[in-house]
Amino acid sequence: MARSLYEWLWQHEFWLPPGITWEDMQESEDTHYPQPRDLLLSIPFALILVVTRYAFERAIALPLSTKLGVRDKQRPKAQPNPMLETFYSTRRKNPKEGELLSLAKQCDLPVRKVEKWFRRRRNMDRPSLSKKFSEACWRFTFYIISFFTGLAVLYNKPWLWDHRECWTGYPQQPLQTSLFWYYMLELSFYWSLVFTLPFDVKRKDFKEQIVHHAATIFLISFSYCANYIRIGTLVMVIHDASDCFLEPTKIFNYMKWKKTCDSLFMIFSAVFLISRLVIYPYTVLYNTYYYSMEIFQPFFGYYFVNVLLIILQLLHVFWSCLIIHMVYKFILQGTMEKDMRSDTEESDKDEERDEIREKKKNGIMYFSNVTSNGYIQRNGSEPLDNRAHLANGHAKER
């Protein structure tokens, strides 16, 4: 059964244009073509990247965050409560109103205190500023290396300047060593992001990130197996261009360098919108959809790779809407709005509101006690008994 599935999966009709079979893609001593088994190398390389990232964050990024003045916020901790902890771990982290009432009754606590406990407990699980800084430093380092590696590999390649060259001789386009390692670098990195996804900073577009990583891995893998190497390299270098500006924007935001952060954000926005909404559709989508038809007739691989490229473009549109909204707010307010993708803390305003409420409550009680004992009169006159004064909360005779 496994063999039948293998033979069905690797039918040349799926992967190659009409008239080309796997026999036409046989390697020789001087000519090498992409082989699907090569993709297995990306897994150990991804694990190496994970280890490298861990060492980088501990040895370089964290000490750097301390030197640059990045300070983690001191968050109030939730008091130990086995019953609430069990509910938090096994049921849900944000209980509904009815569940809050039930838990308050079981714990013999006011509903507001139970609500505050869950708020503080959720904030305890949120990543610290130094963790966000370290993650941004690692990604910035990788994107810089990857982007300039892509430029170094592609600057003398004809298809970077003439997009029709992507299809000259397709699919019998020999695989160059530099292109192979560039592919392995990118594919390994996205596999490493998948491996560390449960431990990375979770943002509001977490689901979109999963779709993005999955589509990218499928796209890189399929383009390699079907020898869409040339179009694949264009996709990768275009994506890395804007990411090189995104991560330093985050870094300076964590450092609270507002003007530098705002300037980088505007540069990032311009590069992202131009590269993802203008260059990508023309260089990649139009190229793959129309120029390729000058060489071969449509087949399954043609439709499949175009679907993956369109999925990426839909994600580009989604993120572009967020960025445009942030730019609009920036123009109106003169400062960059907090990243709408971030899972921000919910305690600040709620904690302050609770503290003000408590202070008001205590102030009213104190005012009531004082006035009831005759120390303050409504007309602002002196107290009736001048011999008394307040000491440690008690009235004493002078």
Side-chain angles (χ1 to χ4, degrees), residues 8-24:
W8 175 83
L9 178 64
W10 292 106
Q11 294 181 71
H12 61 82
E13 290 87 357
F14 290 165
W15 301 87
L16 302 173
I20 304 293
T21 65
W22 291 117
E23 285 73 19
D24 299 318

Side-chain angles (χ1 to χ4, degrees), residues 158 186 196 200 234 289 372:
E186 291 280 353
T196 59
D200 287 343
L234 295 178
Y289 190 78
S372 64

